[in-house]
Amino acid sequence: MSLTVEDLEKMQQQYPDYRMELVKGNVIVMSPSGYESDEVAATMVSQLYNWVKPRKLGRITASSAGFRLPNSDLRAPDASFVLAERLRRSPKTFAQLAPDLIVEVKSPSDNVEDIRAKIQEFLSLGTKVGILLNPDEQVVEVYNVEKEVIVLHNGDVLTVPELLPGWEVPVSDLWPVEFD
């Protein structure tokens, strides 16, 4: 049986403590991420927010914001950015578009190939840039439509000039600090 977004909304009301996505008519219950991966996601959200907000470039959301995509799936990237001209006001429920930028962070329970497939799905539906942050390997993969994947390591600088001109983050700044 193929479910709809309306079915998912009813399930979400019954189980408000669960994060769920709707993919090809199937509900996926999202487990909590690991501490490290969530810290990486929070760092990325803050890096994006601190650049986007004062410049009024658009909207930044974290992993609980759902997007109702053109293919009727309901997905929630770990972080996302939507240009201001595409989303003038924050919707009360789900944004009915593909974000311009998504970020996915690999958690201990994730399969990296599944994350890459999710990023490719977003790109096929209108997202311009997808970023995969892999804290296990301390590697960043940047995906653009019809371009080769850019792989960045510590010592490199992450940029997204097509959406965030001037924004730069050293890759090493994305990983959790170790306190002595």
Side-chain angles (χ1 to χ4, degrees):
M1 178 173 134
S2 187
L3 300 174
T4 65
V5 171
E6 291 74 22
D7 296 326
L8 179 68
E9 288 173 329
K10 290 176 188 170
M11 290 176 68
Q12 194 71 67
Q13 287 174 356
Q14 291 176 329
Y15 305 100
D17 295 332
Y18 293 97
R19 286 187 44 235
M20 300 178 203
E21 289 185 333
L22 183 67
V23 181
K24 296 180 177 74
N26 298 307
V27 172
I28 297 174
V29 178
M30 309 297 287
S31 66
S33 62
Y35 191 94
E36 177 187 54
S37 55
D38 197 57
E39 187 176 351
V40 170
T43 298
M44 187 59 150
V45 168
S46 67
Q47 290 282 349
L48 290 166
Y49 182 85
N50 289 337
W51 183 262
V52 168
K53 176 80 173 184
R55 291 163 181 80
K56 298 181 181 178
L57 298 175
R59 302 188 181 283
I60 302 295
T61 56
S63 63
S64 294
F67 290 87
R68 194 170 184 173
L69 299 171
N71 67 355
S72 298
D73 285 355
L74 180 65
R75 304 298 305 257
D78 292 325
S80 63
F81 166 68
V82 179
L83 288 163
E85 59 264 19
R86 294 190 59 229
L87 196 60
R88 293 278 182 207
R89 293 183 185 266
S90 293
K92 297 281 185 209
T93 60
F94 307 118
Q96 296 197 25
L97 50 75
D100 294 290
L101 167 72
I102 66 159
V103 179
E104 287 293 327
V105 181
K106 185 193 176 300
S107 67
S109 61
D110 286 335
N111 176 310
V112 75
E113 291 305 322
D114 292 342
I115 299 171
R116 289 177 179 138
K118 182 177 181 179
I119 290 170
Q120 289 299 333
E121 178 187 12
F122 269 95
L123 293 174
S124 74
L125 295 170
T127 295
K128 293 177 178 78
V129 179
I131 298 173
L132 169 57
L133 304 178
N134 186 338
D136 295 343
E137 306 292 328
Q138 294 196 342
V139 170
V140 175
E141 298 175 14
V142 182
Y143 295 81
N144 291 277
V145 177
E146 298 179 15
K147 290 185 181 176
E148 289 292 316
V149 176
I150 299 167
V151 179
L152 303 172
H153 301 87
N154 290 331
D156 294 330
V157 176
L158 173 61
T159 64
V160 186
E162 55 276 314
L163 294 172
L164 304 169
W167 180 73
E168 296 183 346
V169 179
V171 169
S172 59
D173 287 359
L174 297 170
W175 318 125
V177 174
E178 291 186 25
F179 301 109
D180 295 328

